[in-house]
Amino acid sequence: MKNNKGLKVWLILFILLSLGLGGYIVYDKVLKVRPINDKQEEAVQNEEIDGDKVCKLEEDRDFIYDAPYEKNVHANSYTTIYNNTYYAKDIIVPFINIDSEYVKSSNNEIKTIFDSVIEIYNKGVQDKESYVDECNYKKYTSDDLLSVLVTYGVGATDIVNANYYTYNIDLKTGEKLTFEEVYKLVGFNSSNINNKVEEAITKVSKEKMSSFALDSEVTDFSTYTTTSINNYKKSLNNNSLKYFISEKGKLNIIVTLNIPVGQEEFDTIIEIN
């Protein structure tokens, strides 16, 4: 009987030890490692959040779309004394759907442009001379940036004064991208960008002045080209340079060209290659 009792005691102790050892293994191999996995999972989630694009104001809309501003116009269309007809529906400006201070400021500026254009349109309805020749925008979007060009041209004669506004936004932060950041994104660097720009300005200047080559009063095109290049350098130095990436993925800048005819100086889009 004693032997049986002793055997039972040893059997119970063996079972208890086995359960204890099994529990330790489960804890050590599974439960104990669980907090580490949780931390790793949290780190991955935070990494995904950090790598995500900037927040939108309206999640179900694109990063940019036609602004839904009300057009308080006196007529849906009108014809000027130059026999050209203009339509209110052709006045289109963008709304940038990004939650950042820079974009908020940009949208406010675009709204001011819109209000100004509507005012000129309404003036044209009355005097039949003023008109909005163009008011629209172009955009370029990649994983890293949103680049926008807003263009509007107005006139009161047969001459149209074009105005350009550009916005370049980092889609990770919502902040403004500098000229250097933008030109590096399309493959230029600090060593070649100025030469490339000067080459482009020279080419466009010659093209625009070629039709006046027979004018005996125009003998030195290089003087006007140099002035245009200096206009670029001035805008670069005082941080007023306007730049954007076109729908083709090309770097473009806005330069005030100097031409020895007509208005003599006017803003021009220059593509950099």
Side-chain angles (χ1 to χ4, degrees):
M1 294 292 292
K2 290 182 178 179
N3 289 337
N4 289 338
K5 288 182 179 179
L7 183 60
K8 289 180 179 179
V9 170
W10 281 109
L11 183 60
I12 292 170
L13 289 173
F14 177 79
I15 293 172
L16 291 174
L17 286 172
S18 297
L19 290 173
L21 180 60
Y24 174 79
I25 292 172
V26 171
Y27 170 78
D28 186 65
K29 301 299 183 182
V30 180
L31 297 179
K32 188 177 179 179
V33 80
R34 181 63 182 173
I36 297 176
N37 288 336
D38 286 343
K39 289 181 180 179
Q40 291 173 340
E41 182 178 350
E42 182 180 352
V44 171
Q45 290 175 347
N46 288 338
E47 185 175 332
E48 290 175 353
I49 292 172
D50 290 341
D52 201 1
K53 293 191 188 316
V54 71
C55 292
K56 293 180 178 180
L57 294 168
E58 298 178 82
E59 286 299 327
D60 60 336
R61 302 294 297 269
D62 292 335
F63 279 114
I64 184 170
Y65 55 86
D66 295 354
Y69 301 137
E70 183 177 356
K71 296 174 182 176
N72 295 313
V73 294
H74 301 329
N76 291 327
S77 67
Y78 68 95
T79 300
T80 65
I81 58 175
Y82 311 108
N83 204 31
N84 295 317
T85 302
Y86 297 95
Y87 301 88
K89 64 180 178 62
D90 293 333
I91 298 174
I92 303 171
V93 297
F95 182 83
I96 304 172
N97 184 29
I98 293 175
D99 187 8
S100 77
E101 287 302 313
Y102 170 64
V103 172
K104 180 180 180 181
S105 174
S106 300
N107 280 329
N108 287 339
E109 181 175 65
I110 294 170
K111 179 60 165 63
T112 300
I113 294 169
F114 175 81
D115 291 341
S116 176
V117 169
I118 291 297
E119 183 177 343
I120 294 170
Y121 178 92
N122 280 331
K123 182 179 179 183
V125 173
Q126 300 297 324
D127 64 23
K128 298 298 186 292
E129 291 187 36
S130 306
Y131 59 94
V132 179
D133 184 67
E134 177 183 16
C135 184
N136 52 43
Y137 69 96
K138 295 180 180 179
K139 63 180 180 179
Y140 173 85
T141 308
S142 71
D143 290 337
D144 302 310
L145 67 87
L146 169 65
S147 189
V148 186
L149 168 69
V150 178
T151 303
Y152 78 91
V154 299
T157 63
D158 58 343
I159 297 176
V160 176
N161 300 308
N163 298 272
Y164 304 102
Y165 292 81
T166 61
Y167 307 93
N168 299 276
I169 304 153
D170 187 325
L171 289 181
K172 304 284 184 173
T173 66
E175 298 306 314
K176 177 181 179 179
L177 287 166
T178 64
F179 180 54
E180 181 179 9
E181 290 171 328
V182 170
Y183 72 63
K184 285 183 176 179
L185 283 172
V186 293
F188 296 106
N189 56 59
S190 57
S191 299
N192 65 14
I193 185 62
N194 284 329
N195 286 337
K196 292 293 185 180
V197 168
E198 291 184 18
E199 289 173 4
I201 292 174
T202 300
K203 178 182 177 182
V204 173
S205 293
K206 288 182 177 179
E207 289 174 351
K208 289 192 175 294
M209 288 191 286
S210 62
S211 60
F212 308 107
L214 298 178
D215 189 336
S216 59
E217 296 180 4
V218 181
T219 57
D220 188 4
F221 286 166
S222 63
T223 299
Y224 297 98
T225 300
T226 298
T227 299
S228 299
I229 291 173
N230 287 336
N231 288 340
Y232 155 72
K233 292 179 178 178
K234 181 180 178 180
S235 64
L236 186 63
N237 291 333
N238 63 21
N239 294 318
S240 65
L241 178 67
K242 297 176 181 178
Y243 49 92
F244 67 97
I245 297 179
S246 70
E247 295 165 309
K248 298 184 295 182
K250 295 283 190 177
L251 174 66
N252 288 254
I253 61 174
I254 311 298
V255 176
T256 302
L257 284 188
N258 187 262
I259 305 294
V261 293
Q263 301 178 71
E264 292 194 356
E265 287 197 334
F266 54 92
D267 287 347
T268 303
I269 296 175
I270 307 286
E271 182 176 282
I272 313 302
N273 295 297

